[in-house]
Amino acid sequence: MGGGTLGPLESAVMESVWEAEGPVTVRAVARHLGGDGPAYTTVATVLGNLHAKGWVDREQRGLVWFYRPVLDRSERAAQDMHRALAGSDRPGSTLLRFVGAMSPGDVRTLRRLVEAADEGEPGS
C-alpha cells in the first residue's frame, strides 16, 4: 500500500476522489477543482501518480478511466498514525504528546474506544 505525504495538488485531487460518491473520472475531478484549478492533463497526471503510489485504484470503461480511493480517509489517517508511532524511538512519549494535543471531546472518544477494545467490543 502506498504511503507518504502528498503535495498540495495531490491532496486536493485526493479530496475530490474522497468526496465523490463513487468512481470518478479525470474530467469530474478537474471540474470539482474549479475553473481556476489545474488543467485536465495535469489532473490526469496527478491521478496517474496517485495510482502508482497506491492511493487510488482505477478501472477502464471504454476509453475512460474511473478512479476510486484505495482507503477511505479514516483508514488512511489510522495508517499514518500507526506509521508515525512505529517510527518513534519513544512511542509512549509520542502518544502522550498526541493525546495532549487532542480536544477534550476527542479524548473522551478515545477513552470510550479504548475501554470498548478492552472489553472486546468492536469500535466505531
Side-chain angles (χ1 to χ4, degrees):
M1 187 93 26
T5 58
L6 298 179
L9 183 52
E10 290 174 320
S11 294
V13 169
M14 270 312 300
E15 286 300 321
S16 292
V17 173
W18 274 320
E19 289 175 15
E21 294 184 14
V24 66
T25 64
V26 173
R27 187 166 313 287
V29 172
R31 192 177 315 120
H32 183 264
L33 294 174
D36 293 336
Y40 176 94
T41 54
T42 302
V43 173
T45 298
V46 170
L47 282 166
N49 292 342
L50 290 170
H51 179 258
K53 291 179 177 184
W55 284 75
V56 296
D57 277 338
R58 67 183 181 187
E59 173 189 352
Q60 191 170 15
R61 300 179 195 164
L63 299 176
V64 180
W65 286 103
F66 287 80
Y67 295 85
R68 65 177 181 76
V70 170
L71 300 175
D72 67 26
R73 282 185 184 104
S74 63
E75 290 168 326
R76 177 60 66 180
Q79 203 176 61
D80 291 345
M81 289 186 291
H82 177 73
R83 264 195 295 277
L85 197 57
S88 174
D89 61 339
R90 296 176 49 210
S93 178
T94 301
L95 276 173
L96 183 60
R97 290 172 187 260
F98 178 73
V99 172
M102 293 171 68
S103 71
D106 287 343
V107 171
R108 284 190 296 276
T109 299
L110 177 61
R111 185 174 288 123
R112 181 179 49 78
L113 292 170
V114 168
E115 288 170 1
D118 286 344
E119 296 170 8
E121 298 175 20
S124 56

